[in-house]
PDB file of all heavy atoms in Angstrom:
ATOM      1  N   ALA A1424       3.270  -4.357  12.384  1.00  0.00           N
ATOM      2  CA  ALA A1424       2.481  -4.711  11.147  1.00  0.00           C
ATOM      3  C   ALA A1424       2.965  -3.846  10.024  1.00  0.00           C
ATOM      4  O   ALA A1424       3.885  -2.933  10.195  1.00  0.00           O
ATOM      5  CB  ALA A1424       1.071  -4.322  11.374  1.00  0.00           C
ATOM      6  N   MET A1425       2.609  -4.117   8.863  1.00  0.00           N
ATOM      7  CA  MET A1425       3.051  -3.444   7.717  1.00  0.00           C
ATOM      8  C   MET A1425       2.152  -2.233   7.422  1.00  0.00           C
ATOM      9  O   MET A1425       0.917  -2.442   7.359  1.00  0.00           O
ATOM     10  CB  MET A1425       3.228  -4.317   6.455  1.00  0.00           C
ATOM     11  CG  MET A1425       3.771  -3.496   5.242  1.00  0.00           C
ATOM     12  SD  MET A1425       3.783  -4.508   3.739  1.00  0.00           S
ATOM     13  CE  MET A1425       2.067  -4.215   3.225  1.00  0.00           C
ATOM     14  N   GLY A1426       2.688  -1.051   7.230  1.00  0.00           N
ATOM     15  CA  GLY A1426       1.842   0.059   6.742  1.00  0.00           C
ATOM     16  C   GLY A1426       2.242   0.445   5.390  1.00  0.00           C
ATOM     17  O   GLY A1426       3.414   0.348   5.047  1.00  0.00           O
ATOM     18  N   VAL A1427       1.328   0.984   4.657  1.00  0.00           N
ATOM     19  CA  VAL A1427       1.644   1.434   3.207  1.00  0.00           C
ATOM     20  C   VAL A1427       1.042   2.803   3.065  1.00  0.00           C
ATOM     21  O   VAL A1427      -0.029   3.070   3.446  1.00  0.00           O
ATOM     22  CB  VAL A1427       0.956   0.453   2.224  1.00  0.00           C
ATOM     23  CG1 VAL A1427       1.161   0.922   0.784  1.00  0.00           C
ATOM     24  CG2 VAL A1427       1.501  -0.974   2.384  1.00  0.00           C
ATOM     25  N   ALA A1428       1.805   3.602   2.479  1.00  0.00           N
ATOM     26  CA  ALA A1428       1.299   4.921   1.925  1.00  0.00           C
ATOM     27  C   ALA A1428       1.556   4.955   0.405  1.00  0.00           C
ATOM     28  O   ALA A1428       2.719   4.608  -0.047  1.00  0.00           O
ATOM     29  CB  ALA A1428       2.088   6.085   2.608  1.00  0.00           C
ATOM     30  N   ASP A1429       0.555   5.400  -0.294  1.00  0.00           N
ATOM     31  CA  ASP A1429       0.696   5.595  -1.732  1.00  0.00           C
ATOM     32  C   ASP A1429       0.960   7.009  -1.940  1.00  0.00           C
ATOM     33  O   ASP A1429       0.559   7.892  -1.152  1.00  0.00           O
ATOM     34  CB  ASP A1429      -0.543   5.148  -2.427  1.00  0.00           C
ATOM     35  CG  ASP A1429      -0.763   3.681  -2.273  1.00  0.00           C
ATOM     36  OD1 ASP A1429       0.207   2.890  -2.102  1.00  0.00           O
ATOM     37  OD2 ASP A1429      -1.984   3.300  -2.228  1.00  0.00           O
ATOM     38  N   TRP A1430       1.764   7.419  -3.035  1.00  0.00           N
ATOM     39  CA  TRP A1430       2.353   8.705  -3.160  1.00  0.00           C
ATOM     40  C   TRP A1430       1.886   9.468  -4.341  1.00  0.00           C
ATOM     41  O   TRP A1430       1.591   8.880  -5.408  1.00  0.00           O
ATOM     42  CB  TRP A1430       3.856   8.554  -3.207  1.00  0.00           C
ATOM     43  CG  TRP A1430       4.371   7.835  -1.924  1.00  0.00           C
ATOM     44  CD1 TRP A1430       4.613   6.470  -1.755  1.00  0.00           C
ATOM     45  CD2 TRP A1430       4.576   8.499  -0.665  1.00  0.00           C
ATOM     46  NE1 TRP A1430       5.071   6.256  -0.494  1.00  0.00           N
ATOM     47  CE2 TRP A1430       5.058   7.478   0.112  1.00  0.00           C
ATOM     48  CE3 TRP A1430       4.512   9.761  -0.164  1.00  0.00           C
ATOM     49  CZ2 TRP A1430       5.337   7.585   1.536  1.00  0.00           C
ATOM     50  CZ3 TRP A1430       4.861   9.954   1.135  1.00  0.00           C
ATOM     51  CH2 TRP A1430       5.276   8.925   1.968  1.00  0.00           C
ATOM     52  N   VAL A1431       1.808  10.789  -4.146  1.00  0.00           N
ATOM     53  CA  VAL A1431       1.592  11.762  -5.240  1.00  0.00           C
ATOM     54  C   VAL A1431       2.846  12.587  -5.359  1.00  0.00           C
ATOM     55  O   VAL A1431       3.504  12.936  -4.358  1.00  0.00           O
ATOM     56  CB  VAL A1431       0.389  12.624  -4.935  1.00  0.00           C
ATOM     57  CG1 VAL A1431       0.235  13.749  -5.985  1.00  0.00           C
ATOM     58  CG2 VAL A1431      -0.825  11.833  -4.799  1.00  0.00           C
ATOM     59  N   MET A1432       3.221  12.898  -6.608  1.00  0.00           N
ATOM     60  CA  MET A1432       4.371  13.719  -6.922  1.00  0.00           C
ATOM     61  C   MET A1432       4.115  14.584  -8.128  1.00  0.00           C
ATOM     62  O   MET A1432       3.239  14.268  -8.967  1.00  0.00           O
ATOM     63  CB  MET A1432       5.623  12.833  -7.093  1.00  0.00           C
ATOM     64  CG  MET A1432       5.485  11.997  -8.273  1.00  0.00           C
ATOM     65  SD  MET A1432       6.304  10.340  -8.023  1.00  0.00           S
ATOM     66  CE  MET A1432       5.221   9.602  -6.786  1.00  0.00           C
ATOM     67  N   ALA A1433       4.825  15.734  -8.159  1.00  0.00           N
ATOM     68  CA  ALA A1433       4.658  16.576  -9.346  1.00  0.00           C
ATOM     69  C   ALA A1433       5.990  16.764  -9.991  1.00  0.00           C
ATOM     70  O   ALA A1433       7.003  17.124  -9.370  1.00  0.00           O
ATOM     71  CB  ALA A1433       4.115  17.965  -8.857  1.00  0.00           C
ATOM     72  N   PHE A1434       6.005  16.481 -11.317  1.00  0.00           N
ATOM     73  CA  PHE A1434       7.225  16.608 -12.094  1.00  0.00           C
ATOM     74  C   PHE A1434       7.441  18.021 -12.622  1.00  0.00           C
ATOM     75  O   PHE A1434       6.592  18.820 -12.792  1.00  0.00           O
ATOM     76  CB  PHE A1434       7.177  15.698 -13.302  1.00  0.00           C
ATOM     77  CG  PHE A1434       7.383  14.164 -12.926  1.00  0.00           C
ATOM     78  CD1 PHE A1434       6.219  13.487 -12.571  1.00  0.00           C
ATOM     79  CD2 PHE A1434       8.542  13.603 -12.905  1.00  0.00           C
ATOM     80  CE1 PHE A1434       6.337  12.134 -12.126  1.00  0.00           C
ATOM     81  CE2 PHE A1434       8.737  12.260 -12.623  1.00  0.00           C
ATOM     82  CZ  PHE A1434       7.604  11.483 -12.237  1.00  0.00           C
ATOM     83  N   LYS A1435       8.732  18.376 -12.779  1.00  0.00           N
ATOM     84  CA  LYS A1435       9.138  19.776 -13.163  1.00  0.00           C
ATOM     85  C   LYS A1435       8.896  19.875 -14.611  1.00  0.00           C
ATOM     86  O   LYS A1435       9.777  19.829 -15.419  1.00  0.00           O
ATOM     87  CB  LYS A1435      10.601  20.005 -12.794  1.00  0.00           C
ATOM     88  CG  LYS A1435      10.863  20.125 -11.271  1.00  0.00           C
ATOM     89  CD  LYS A1435      12.320  20.339 -11.017  1.00  0.00           C
ATOM     90  CE  LYS A1435      12.672  20.544  -9.553  1.00  0.00           C
ATOM     91  NZ  LYS A1435      14.159  20.738  -9.304  1.00  0.00           N
ATOM     92  N   ASN A1436       7.661  20.218 -14.946  1.00  0.00           N
ATOM     93  CA  ASN A1436       7.312  20.340 -16.407  1.00  0.00           C
ATOM     94  C   ASN A1436       6.909  21.828 -16.642  1.00  0.00           C
ATOM     95  O   ASN A1436       6.393  22.171 -17.699  1.00  0.00           O
ATOM     96  CB  ASN A1436       6.081  19.539 -16.718  1.00  0.00           C
ATOM     97  CG  ASN A1436       6.377  18.057 -16.799  1.00  0.00           C
ATOM     98  OD1 ASN A1436       7.604  17.646 -16.835  1.00  0.00           O
ATOM     99  ND2 ASN A1436       5.369  17.150 -16.843  1.00  0.00           N
ATOM    100  N   GLY A1437       7.197  22.675 -15.748  1.00  0.00           N
ATOM    101  CA  GLY A1437       6.926  24.138 -16.006  1.00  0.00           C
ATOM    102  C   GLY A1437       5.563  24.549 -15.554  1.00  0.00           C
ATOM    103  O   GLY A1437       5.078  25.703 -15.716  1.00  0.00           O
ATOM    104  N   HIS A1438       4.825  23.706 -14.855  1.00  0.00           N
ATOM    105  CA  HIS A1438       3.405  23.962 -14.456  1.00  0.00           C
ATOM    106  C   HIS A1438       3.346  23.914 -12.926  1.00  0.00           C
ATOM    107  O   HIS A1438       2.412  23.281 -12.402  1.00  0.00           O
ATOM    108  CB  HIS A1438       2.518  22.899 -15.126  1.00  0.00           C
ATOM    109  CG  HIS A1438       2.431  22.948 -16.570  1.00  0.00           C
ATOM    110  ND1 HIS A1438       2.146  21.906 -17.343  1.00  0.00           N
ATOM    111  CD2 HIS A1438       2.717  23.966 -17.403  1.00  0.00           C
ATOM    112  CE1 HIS A1438       2.289  22.214 -18.600  1.00  0.00           C
ATOM    113  NE2 HIS A1438       2.619  23.478 -18.682  1.00  0.00           N
ATOM    114  N   ARG A1439       4.296  24.503 -12.268  1.00  0.00           N
ATOM    115  CA  ARG A1439       4.334  24.389 -10.778  1.00  0.00           C
ATOM    116  C   ARG A1439       3.127  25.033 -10.214  1.00  0.00           C
ATOM    117  O   ARG A1439       2.513  24.378  -9.289  1.00  0.00           O
ATOM    118  CB  ARG A1439       5.577  25.141 -10.306  1.00  0.00           C
ATOM    119  CG  ARG A1439       5.665  25.138  -8.770  1.00  0.00           C
ATOM    120  CD  ARG A1439       6.917  25.899  -8.240  1.00  0.00           C
ATOM    121  NE  ARG A1439       6.856  27.275  -8.609  1.00  0.00           N
ATOM    122  CZ  ARG A1439       6.210  28.220  -7.825  1.00  0.00           C
ATOM    123  NH1 ARG A1439       5.585  27.841  -6.779  1.00  0.00           N
ATOM    124  NH2 ARG A1439       6.212  29.474  -8.221  1.00  0.00           N
ATOM    125  N   LYS A1440       2.680  26.207 -10.550  1.00  0.00           N
ATOM    126  CA  LYS A1440       1.531  26.871  -9.872  1.00  0.00           C
ATOM    127  C   LYS A1440       0.270  26.019 -10.191  1.00  0.00           C
ATOM    128  O   LYS A1440      -0.591  25.856  -9.236  1.00  0.00           O
ATOM    129  CB  LYS A1440       1.345  28.271 -10.395  1.00  0.00           C
ATOM    130  CG  LYS A1440       2.466  29.198  -9.889  1.00  0.00           C
ATOM    131  CD  LYS A1440       2.208  30.574 -10.341  1.00  0.00           C
ATOM    132  CE  LYS A1440       3.330  31.555  -9.724  1.00  0.00           C
ATOM    133  NZ  LYS A1440       3.055  32.922 -10.270  1.00  0.00           N
ATOM    134  N   GLU A1441       0.099  25.625 -11.404  1.00  0.00           N
ATOM    135  CA  GLU A1441      -1.207  24.905 -11.781  1.00  0.00           C
ATOM    136  C   GLU A1441      -1.194  23.508 -11.118  1.00  0.00           C
ATOM    137  O   GLU A1441      -2.187  23.083 -10.498  1.00  0.00           O
ATOM    138  CB  GLU A1441      -1.156  24.676 -13.267  1.00  0.00           C
ATOM    139  CG  GLU A1441      -1.416  25.941 -14.055  1.00  0.00           C
ATOM    140  CD  GLU A1441      -0.129  26.715 -14.391  1.00  0.00           C
ATOM    141  OE1 GLU A1441       0.927  26.172 -13.910  1.00  0.00           O
ATOM    142  OE2 GLU A1441      -0.140  27.707 -14.915  1.00  0.00           O
ATOM    143  N   SER A1442      -0.031  22.814 -10.961  1.00  0.00           N
ATOM    144  CA  SER A1442       0.026  21.529 -10.253  1.00  0.00           C
ATOM    145  C   SER A1442      -0.223  21.760  -8.756  1.00  0.00           C
ATOM    146  O   SER A1442      -0.927  20.914  -8.166  1.00  0.00           O
ATOM    147  CB  SER A1442       1.400  20.916 -10.507  1.00  0.00           C
ATOM    148  OG  SER A1442       1.571  20.530 -11.830  1.00  0.00           O
TER     149      SER A1442
END
Side-chain angles (χ1 to χ4, degrees):
M1425 187 185 80
V1427 175
D1429 298 329
W1430 302 95
V1431 174
M1432 62 217 69
F1434 287 85
K1435 292 181 176 179
N1436 290 346
H1438 298 152
R1439 179 181 65 82
K1440 290 183 178 179
E1441 294 83 3
S1442 293

